[in-house]
Amino acid sequence: MSHINKFGLLGGNFKKPPQRKTRLNRSYEELTPISWSEYFEYKRFVDIDGNRFATYSLGNVESVLIVLLHGGGFNALTWSLFAKYLVKQCECQVLAIDLRGHGNSFTTDDNDLSMTTFTNDIISLLRKSYPDKMPSIVLMGHSLGGAIAVNIASTEESDLPIIGLVVIDVVEGSAMESLASMQSFLRSRPKSFKSLTDAISWGMGNGHIKNEESARVSIPGQIKNIATGKLGTDEFEEPPIDTPVLTEAISEPQYSIDSIKEDEEFGASSISSKKPLGNYTWRIDLCKTEKHWPGWFQGLSKKFLSIHAQKLLLLANIDRMDRDLTVGQMQGKFEMQVLPRVGHAVQEDDPEKVASILSNFLVRNKFANPTGDFVRILPGC
């Protein structure tokens, strides 16, 4: 049986997108982008050896630091709603980072996406951001970000004060098995979008992200303007710039709400061999990262189990557990929670629940103090 429906590896729910006639019952106004400033207090850039990394932060700077690492193809804004809920429930600070080649982070070599490079990037960024006294750290990562968090925590040379590790929906066994289907999934996605709203509509209709508010803030950070190279999140925060419609012969589809309406009205596909290329495309071409995929996940389970910090694993489906993790969980080596009715983007689909689980993890381990909004829940099995 193919594992493509059971595990989302690089940044999405790995089920084949629905037919293009699937359309959300939403207006353009309801799917307009939302600014990062609704959720975070600060957006800062950290310069390291000619590389520039974008970070978003929120919370009490005198408290434990939750370092948030997103999945492949996502960006730091995937944590927006979660972060806002979390700081209301316990005393902590969050730092969400755009990984190399993603979001608003730009480096001298955005194609160098090896696990070693990702790990060194985050360690260097944290050292530069906290040169005097680094707070205690809980690393939290989704998918690829979870694998990076595990690698950082297992790297003795990092000397970071890591007291906790939280991994969301990434398991070595199912990840490695799904690699053969990866390119097929990535090629099935639209190559371009007519507008930011069309991209949000596709993400919602495809099941990429099930939470409408979260999709409106995070998806613009996953795409860029083809003509200007500017990230989608930057465009609606600055005066709009007219960009030309690029026309070229293409065989890949573009996605727009209008084209779906035309299909429904006329009963024929609006995709032709020559038509305007959409104004937006993906910020990162994940198809070109294939050589790095095995290195992201090989040895992940054993590394995770070997880490001495308190550990929490959040999954969208219990079937994603591999043998090493199943045995480790039975031995009580980590806490685990399975969230129902969510896709691969667990922290986006149910951000309030994930925030509640993490706040309880932090309070139970005495990493953070509860606030008035804290609600105690029983730990998972």
Side-chain angles (χ1 to χ4, degrees):
M1 175 180 176
S2 172
H3 287 262
I4 201 166
N5 290 328
K6 297 173 67 177
F7 185 78
L9 183 56
L10 299 179
N13 187 5
F14 267 49
K15 60 183 181 180
K16 197 164 185 177
Q19 296 298 313
R20 295 181 65 255
K21 291 185 181 181
T22 299
R23 175 161 54 95
L24 289 173
N25 186 23
R26 298 286 190 276
S27 68
Y28 256 71
E29 292 73 19
E30 292 174 311
L31 293 178
T32 54
I34 304 176
S35 171
W36 65 268
S37 60
E38 296 291 321
Y39 308 93
F40 293 98
E41 292 176 326
Y42 302 103
K43 176 181 179 180
R44 296 187 176 97
F45 292 93
V46 180
D47 294 324
I48 303 172
D49 299 329
N51 304 317
R52 170 163 285 195
F53 297 94
T55 68
Y56 301 82
S57 56
L58 172 70
N60 180 357
V61 296
E62 301 298 324
S63 58
V64 63
L65 174 65
I66 316 301
V67 178
L68 303 173
L69 306 176
H70 62 79
F74 280 81
N75 63 100
L77 299 182
T78 188
W79 304 102
S80 297
L81 276 70
F82 161 80
K84 192 170 183 177
Y85 284 125
L86 180 65
V87 298
K88 290 181 179 179
Q89 298 180 33
C90 65
E91 295 179 2
C92 67
Q93 56 178 316
V94 299
L95 180 72
I97 303 168
D98 277 340
L99 298 176
R100 172 183 294 250
H102 295 72
N104 258 319
S105 289
F106 295 91
T107 69
T108 56
D109 186 0
D110 276 358
N111 294 318
D112 181 7
L113 303 181
S114 68
M115 178 55 70
T116 298
T117 299
F118 278 135
T119 298
N120 291 336
D121 284 344
I122 302 304
I123 292 174
S124 298
L125 184 150
L126 291 173
R127 286 174 176 167
K128 184 160 186 178
S129 300
Y130 303 92
D132 300 323
K133 182 181 179 182
M134 192 175 298
S136 297
I137 293 173
V138 173
L139 292 174
M140 184 171 188
H142 166 240
S143 196
L144 168 61
I148 296 171
V150 169
N151 203 58
I152 293 171
S154 63
T155 303
E156 295 182 0
E157 297 79 7
S158 73
D159 66 19
L160 299 176
I162 299 170
I163 59 175
L165 174 65
V166 183
V167 174
I168 300 180
D169 215 40
V170 57
V171 171
E172 179 184 355
S174 49
M176 298 302 293
E177 290 177 12
S178 70
L179 292 181
S181 304
M182 185 73 64
Q183 286 286 2
S184 176
F185 165 77
L186 293 174
R187 286 194 295 268
S188 71
R189 304 188 305 174
K191 297 300 182 290
S192 63
F193 302 93
K194 192 174 181 180
S195 68
L196 295 176
T197 300
D198 287 321
I200 295 169
S201 173
W202 175 84
M204 288 289 298
N206 171 257
H208 179 54
I209 297 172
K210 298 182 179 182
N211 184 309
E212 180 179 307
E213 183 181 356
S214 191
R216 292 171 63 194
V217 66
S218 72
I219 287 180
Q222 299 178 35
I223 61 175
K224 63 182 180 180
N225 187 299
I226 293 175
T228 66
K230 183 176 293 187
L231 199 67
T233 53
D234 294 337
E235 290 205 328
F236 61 90
E237 294 172 2
E238 300 176 2
I241 300 175
D242 290 333
T243 57
V245 174
L246 305 179
T247 303
E248 58 182 56
I250 57 173
S251 58
E252 286 85 0
Q254 71 160 327
Y255 181 98
S256 75
I257 294 176
D258 290 339
S259 66
I260 293 177
K261 291 178 179 177
E262 291 169 4
D263 286 357
E264 293 174 342
E265 290 173 2
F266 299 108
S269 173
S270 61
I271 300 175
S272 64
S273 60
K274 185 177 181 68
K275 71 172 295 167
L277 182 66
N279 291 326
Y280 298 88
T281 191
W282 299 103
R283 161 66 175 91
I284 178 173
D285 185 352
L286 290 173
C287 290
K288 295 180 179 179
T289 67
E290 182 175 9
K291 67 179 181 179
H292 298 296
W293 297 347
W296 290 348
F297 304 104
Q298 285 175 341
L300 177 61
S301 293
K302 290 183 178 179
K303 284 183 183 179
F304 177 76
L305 293 171
S306 70
I307 294 166
H308 296 299
Q310 294 296 315
K311 299 183 288 293
L312 172 64
L313 177 63
L314 301 182
L315 296 175
N317 192 320
I318 191 63
D319 291 342
R320 295 174 186 176
M321 290 279 283
D322 59 25
R323 182 181 181 279
D324 287 338
L325 290 181
T326 299
V327 173
Q329 194 270 331
M330 293 175 65
Q331 295 173 339
K333 292 185 177 181
F334 61 92
E335 297 179 36
M336 185 180 74
Q337 291 272 0
V338 179
L339 283 77
R341 298 181 296 279
V342 296
H344 179 52
V346 178
Q347 73 283 357
E348 296 209 46
D349 291 348
D350 199 346
E352 189 169 12
K353 178 66 173 179
V354 175
S356 180
I357 292 172
L358 183 62
S359 64
N360 273 263
F361 174 79
L362 297 174
V363 171
R364 185 166 56 252
N365 287 289
K366 296 182 169 53
F367 297 158
N369 294 319
T371 66
D373 292 330
F374 177 78
V375 176
R376 191 174 303 277
I377 58 176
L378 294 175
C381 59

